[in-house]
Amino acid sequence: MPGRPSLAGRSHRVSRPAVRMGGGGSALRVCADHRGGINWLSLSPDGQRLLTGSEDGTARLWSTADGQCCALLQGHESYVTFCQLEDEAAFTCSADHTIRKWDVRTGQCLQVFRGHTSIVNRILVANNQLFSSSYDRTARAWSVDEGQVSQEFRGHRNCVLTLAYSAPWDLPGAPCAEEVGGLLVTGSTDGTAKVWQVTSGCCHQTLRGHTGAVLCLVLDTPSHTAFTGSTDTTIRAWDILSGEQLRVFREHQGSVICLELVNRHVYSGSADRTVKCWLADTGERVRTFAAHRHSVSALKYHAGTLFTGSGDARARAFDARSGALQRVFRGHAFVINCIQGLPPHSPQSLRSPEAKPVLKGNGISSKSRPAAVVISLANCLEDTSEEPKYTSFQVLWNMSFVLHTLSFLSEGGGVPGTGGLTHPAWACPSPGGW
């Protein structure tokens, strides 16, 4: 691919990238077969399997019971940006402009989805449809069974980074909900989010107000509300039916990188090294989770515990109600890009045989705490100093690198390897190429 060296030309003079599965602050399983950084992971609905997508151009299926690799998914011609695991199929997207569907039993590729003209950044499988976002400035809807494009969503003026879907039955009272086939919401580096009618492909609303790239979004379908996070340091709430901006959350001092919506609370992770908790209905900030030494790049709420992943290569567990730090998970070497949790009563729960109550007095015990946390490492680095440094553009066109780099921007520095470039629009190519 233009603008990015081949996989064969990369250096791997670092500790091998790994997925770590832990339950008490120490790693219970280390899955280290990939030969490049791990960009995303996805758990199967039953919690029995884990799917990882890597810089080495492959995806792997793992058993969460013993950490063994069950299948190697090969076929992409460039690095895997994102993945989603369903009961009977796995889906991956790549910088090679394609999406692939895989048989989880045999590891064989069942379908190749072709049509995007640049990196496919995110995918979402819902309602027997596959939705994708790309650096080619479009989002698309595909038939999962046939592999054909059913709709193309054009209108963004720059890369489409993130997306969310609201099915027709999630829109009670919305006019013509069945006819429009649900609503797709996309966020872009052009500073807008857009709401699309899935059946027609028409833009239903354009959500304007951010002054920087929209990096993340979550939907609250019962209230028809979208929450978007941006490089402009704000979170904004929108009515996706009317397009009205409902409220603005202003307290972060850096780009808002990730969002989680749970129990009418919005959790936001930022390049300012904090997570903040807000009341979704009012925008009031009720709690700040500190202790991170670098950007917060991943969030996962699980059974009353908020797990965070950071550019300081550590995951942390906080009591979501009090904000108290409960655990620090060490072992990764570089920025953590994704966190998933296994159900606490899953037969695949990776409890240590010696599990004992931890942190006496904080209400957490070996019975009540989450059974396992799965953490993904993003990107290979050659530098092992305390402050990670990217060696070249070899990991540039990767969302996790974009997010990690934003922490440098918020601290007044330039993007590594760019001679001081500081505008986030550098992350996206021009239409039709690099």
Side-chain angles (χ1 to χ4, degrees):
M1 277 195 49
R4 186 179 177 105
S6 67
L7 293 170
R10 300 192 192 180
S11 170
H12 300 289
R13 291 178 290 141
V14 291
S15 56
R16 178 166 291 184
V19 176
R20 295 176 186 268
M21 305 183 189
S26 59
L28 301 182
R29 303 280 188 272
V30 179
C31 308
D33 290 351
H34 278 298
R35 299 185 60 185
I38 298 166
N39 290 328
W40 203 257
L41 56 81
S42 176
L43 279 168
S44 60
D46 61 10
Q48 295 185 23
R49 291 183 297 264
L50 173 72
L51 175 67
T52 55
S54 172
E55 285 280 310
D56 64 14
T58 71
R60 287 178 181 265
L61 278 167
W62 312 81
S63 165
T64 56
D66 57 14
Q68 294 300 306
C69 181
C70 308
L72 173 63
L73 313 181
Q74 298 184 94
H76 281 299
E77 297 177 3
S78 189
Y79 61 98
V80 177
T81 55
F82 195 81
C83 56
Q84 183 171 336
L85 183 55
E86 298 295 307
D87 285 319
E88 297 182 359
F91 298 84
T92 58
C93 60
S94 169
D96 66 8
H97 310 175
T98 70
I99 303 157
R100 288 178 180 256
K101 177 183 177 182
W102 311 82
D103 188 309
V104 296
R105 295 180 299 273
T106 66
Q108 292 183 334
C109 181
L110 302 175
Q111 190 79 52
V112 181
F113 302 74
R114 304 182 190 275
H116 280 297
T117 58
S118 190
I119 293 170
V120 184
N121 184 57
R122 287 290 184 269
I123 51 175
L124 171 64
V125 180
N127 195 21
N128 203 36
Q129 297 179 93
L130 187 151
F131 300 96
S132 58
S133 64
S134 172
Y135 286 6
D136 65 10
R137 306 186 179 191
T138 73
R140 298 178 189 229
W142 314 73
S143 165
V144 169
D145 296 327
E146 299 175 6
Q148 300 298 314
V149 175
S150 57
Q151 198 53 259
E152 185 175 313
F153 308 95
R154 285 188 176 272
H156 280 297
R157 300 176 63 186
N158 215 323
C159 311
V160 185
L161 297 181
T162 184
L163 72 172
Y165 172 70
S166 183
W169 50 84
D170 291 328
L171 301 167
C176 304
E178 290 293 337
E179 288 82 354
V180 302
L183 297 175
L184 180 70
V185 186
T186 57
S188 168
T189 56
D190 65 11
T192 71
K194 287 181 179 287
V195 184
W196 310 85
Q197 298 178 2
V198 170
T199 300
S200 68
C202 294
C203 182
H204 178 72
Q205 298 289 349
T206 297
L207 311 180
R208 293 187 174 93
H210 283 298
T211 58
V214 177
L215 299 182
C216 50
L217 69 86
V218 291
L219 282 184
D220 179 36
T221 51
S223 66
H224 312 151
T225 303
F227 298 87
T228 55
S230 170
T231 58
D232 67 8
T233 77
T234 70
I235 303 151
R236 295 171 190 253
W238 314 82
D239 185 311
I240 61 174
L241 298 182
S242 69
E244 177 188 1
Q245 180 176 285
L246 303 175
R247 61 196 69 90
V248 183
F249 305 66
R250 307 178 189 272
E251 280 198 33
H252 278 300
Q253 302 301 309
S255 301
V256 180
I257 295 172
C258 45
L259 293 171
E260 182 95 335
L261 176 64
V262 183
N263 300 329
R264 310 305 307 156
H265 289 77
V266 176
Y267 296 89
S268 56
S270 171
D272 67 9
R273 309 185 183 194
T274 71
V275 174
K276 293 184 184 293
C277 175
W278 318 76
L279 295 180
D281 297 325
T282 66
E284 177 189 356
R285 194 265 304 162
V286 295
R287 197 164 297 110
T288 296
F289 303 83
H292 308 93
R293 298 172 60 192
H294 216 287
S295 304
V296 179
S297 48
L299 290 175
K300 186 67 176 181
Y301 178 95
H302 188 80
T305 299
L306 181 69
F307 294 96
T308 66
S310 173
D312 63 13
R314 290 171 174 80
R316 291 171 174 83
F318 295 87
D319 183 284
R321 183 179 295 272
S322 69
L325 178 64
Q326 297 174 332
R327 278 285 178 184
V328 178
F329 297 82
R330 296 177 174 86
H332 282 300
F334 308 115
V335 56
I336 292 171
N337 190 40
C338 186
I339 297 177
Q340 295 286 355
L342 284 173
H345 303 298
S346 165
Q348 283 72 36
S349 296
L350 298 173
R351 285 190 196 278
S352 168
E354 301 84 18
K356 299 177 181 179
V358 294
L359 300 180
K360 294 180 180 179
N362 69 355
I364 301 293
S365 71
S366 60
K367 293 184 179 180
S368 64
R369 63 182 170 83
V373 183
V374 183
I375 301 166
S376 168
L377 165 67
N379 296 328
C380 287
L381 312 181
E382 291 184 350
D383 192 281
T384 57
S385 61
E386 187 169 340
E387 188 71 17
K389 297 178 181 177
Y390 286 86
T391 57
S392 71
F393 280 133
Q394 68 181 24
V395 290
L396 179 62
W397 307 112
N398 169 316
M399 187 57 188
S400 58
F401 176 75
V402 174
L403 299 186
H404 176 75
T405 303
L406 290 172
S407 64
F408 288 86
L409 303 182
S410 68
E411 293 161 14
V415 178
T418 65
L421 184 60
T422 58
H423 195 280
W426 63 269
C428 295
S430 58
W434 296 103

